[in-house]
Amino acid sequence: MIQFVLFGITGDLSRRLILPAMVRLFAQGKLPELTILGFGTRDWSDEQLRQHVAELLRTLPGVPLKAWERFQERIHYQAAELSAEGLQGLKQLSGDAVFYLALPPDLFAQAAQALGTLGVADERSGFRRLAVEKPFGTDLASAQALNQALHAFWREDQIFRMDHFLGKAATQNLLHVRLANRFLEPIWNGYHVDFVQITYAETLGLEGRARYYDRSGALRDMLQNHLLQLFALVAMEPPARLDAQSLRIHKLEALRAVRPIPPGNVDQFAARGQYVGYRNEPGIPADSRTETFAAMKLYVDSWRWQGIPFYLRSGKRLAADAAEIALVFRPAPAAPLGTLPPGRLVFRMKPGALELWLSTRHGDEAQQLRLQAALGQEPEYGAYEELLLALLDGDLSFFPSEGEVEEAWRIVDPILRAWQQGEPEPYEQGSEGPKSQHALLDPGDSWDPIGK
Ligand code: BG6
C-alpha cells in the first residue's frame, strides 16, 4: 500500500489534473494500491473535500464517475500548516510513500524542508519520493537554490520534477519514432536537416492565472521547460539504453551543447511580443511588459548539429492551437523536375499526427506528397496519467534532472536579463504573433504559418 501525500489538494492543479488522472487510472485497474492523504489550509472534513473535488470532476470530460464513487473513500483530508510542527503526524508514517507538492512555487523549498526535518525522506521502511510541480525556479540562481534546498534532505533519485510535456503521447511518440526506425538515424543530423522548428501556439489566454502569468511570461512558462525538453529529445544523441540514466545524460549533453546567447546581441536570437489587450485583462497591470509570445534561435555545438539553427516559439491568443516539431530537410542539389519545397518530417502535437513530406512525380510535374498518420488526441490529463504511473513505479525517465533544469535556465538567462529593458512588440489577438520573430531566421528559413 502506497501513501500518496498530496499537498495542495484543494487547489486547481489537483482538482483539474492530478485527481482526474488518478480516477481514470483507477477505473482502468492501472493504479497500484494507494491511499491519498491531502493537505490544505481550509478547515474541511473528508466529506467536504470529496464534495469539492466531485463537483469539478462532474464537469470534466472522460472522468469515470462510477469509479470516483469507490475511489473517493481512499481520500482523506487534513488542514495543516506547512511546517515540521504542522505536519508532525507524518512522523508515524511507515512503508512506501510519495509526497507530491502541488503548491505555489514559493512553498516548494519550505515543504521539502519541513518533510525532511521530520525524517520522512528516510527509506528504511519503504521508498520515499518527492514530486515537485512547475515552475522550477524563475532563473538560474533561483533554480540552483531550490535544487540545493531539496538536496538538503532528498537524494536526486528521490526527486521527480514534473514537466507534463514529457508525459504527452506526442512527446513519447517523438522518441519512439526516432529510436524505433533505424533508417531515420542516418538523416537525423545537420548533413540532411536544414533547420528544426518547434512551435507551441495557443488560442487560449490567461485562464484566470493573471497573477502567476504576469510574473512569468512565455519564455519562463513554456520555452525554458517544455520546449527545451522537446528540443533536447530531438537534439540528443540516441541513447544505447532506454532507461532514465541514459536518457537524462543524453538530454543534458544536448542542452550543454547549446551555444550561449551573447548578452550584447540578444535581439538576434530572441523575439518577444504581447497581445493587444493583455494590459486590460483582469489582474494585469496597465503598464505590464510581460511577454505573451517568445521565440528563440539556438545553435548547438555538437558534431550532429553544428551550424544548424533550432527555432523555438510559443505564444498565447494566436491564430490557432497548433503545435509541431518539424525537421526541415535540405533541398536536393539537382531535382529532375524543378525544385519543390524541401522535404520534412513533422510531429504534430494537437491533435497528434506524424507527417512525412516527399517530392514525387505526377505526369510531367513535380508534386509534393504529404503522408500523414493521425496519432490521436489525449484528454488534458493524459500526460498526468503517464507521469503518475512512472512516479509510482519509480521511473525517472520522463522527469527532468537537476542538471537539465539548470542548463535550460543557463540558456534562457541572458534573454531574461536583456528583456528587463525595453518592451515586447504588440501583436493582434488571433494573429501569427509579432513580426520580430521573422528577424531571427537565417536567410532562406521560414516559420510555418500557424494553423494552416
Ligand atoms: C503549462 C503552462 O505548463 O502548459 C500554460 O503554464 C500552458 O500556460 C500549458 O497553457 C500548455 O500545455 P497543454 O498541455 O495544456 O497544452
Side-chain angles (χ1 to χ4, degrees), residues 292-313:
T292 58
F293 176 103
M296 65 182 176
K297 168 166 77 170
L298 303 176
Y299 285 106
V300 187
D301 288 326
S302 70
W303 287 81
R304 186 178 289 271
W305 297 114
Q306 198 184 27
I308 302 305
F310 281 73
Y311 303 114
L312 279 58
R313 66 177 171 167

Side-chain angles (χ1 to χ4, degrees), residues 376-398:
Q377 183 74 317
E378 61 184 351
E380 213 192 339
Y381 12 85
Y384 270 81
E385 289 173 38
E386 193 72 30
L387 294 181
L388 284 171
L389 280 184
L391 166 65
L392 292 166
D393 193 33
D395 180 356
L396 281 159
S397 301
F398 294 103

Side-chain angles (χ1 to χ4, degrees), residues 134 164-165 168 200 202 209 212 221-222 226 316 380:
K134 54 188 186 256
H164 78 289
F165 269 49
K168 281 178 181 281
Y200 205 84
E202 298 181 281
R209 298 191 308 156
Y212 154 75
D221 186 47
M222 295 296 293
H226 307 321
K316 299 225 180 261
E380 213 192 339

Side-chain angles (χ1 to χ4, degrees), residues 212-277:
Y212 154 75
Y213 195 85
D214 197 58
R215 282 188 290 176
S216 173
L219 186 63
R220 289 190 176 96
D221 186 47
M222 295 296 293
L223 275 70
Q224 183 275 339
N225 45 14
H226 307 321
L227 268 56
L228 277 173
Q229 281 293 323
L230 296 176
F231 156 81
L233 289 171
V234 175
M236 71 178 183
E237 292 302 304
R241 280 173 209 280
L242 271 183
D243 57 23
Q245 205 186 3
S246 302
L247 261 172
R248 287 171 142 208
I249 288 174
H250 283 77
K251 281 196 292 165
L252 177 61
E253 195 64 20
L255 291 163
R256 289 182 58 173
V258 172
R259 192 182 304 164
I261 292 176
N265 222 352
V266 165
D267 284 354
Q268 286 185 19
F269 291 88
R272 60 179 153 159
Q274 186 186 70
Y275 66 77
V276 175

Side-chain angles (χ1 to χ4, degrees), residues 18-66:
I18 301 170
L19 292 171
M22 284 229 182
V23 181
R24 279 169 57 97
L25 290 171
F26 176 73
Q28 296 161 38
K30 290 187 184 164
L31 201 65
E33 279 294 300
L34 58 75
T35 54
I36 298 179
L37 174 57
F39 282 99
T41 48
R42 305 182 204 199
D43 204 9
W44 279 350
S45 64
D46 287 358
E47 204 35 53
Q48 278 171 307
L49 184 268
R50 292 172 188 166
Q51 286 283 335
H52 172 75
V53 175
E55 269 166 38
L56 187 70
L57 290 188
R58 280 190 212 109
T59 67
L60 298 178
V63 178
L65 294 173
K66 270 229 160 70

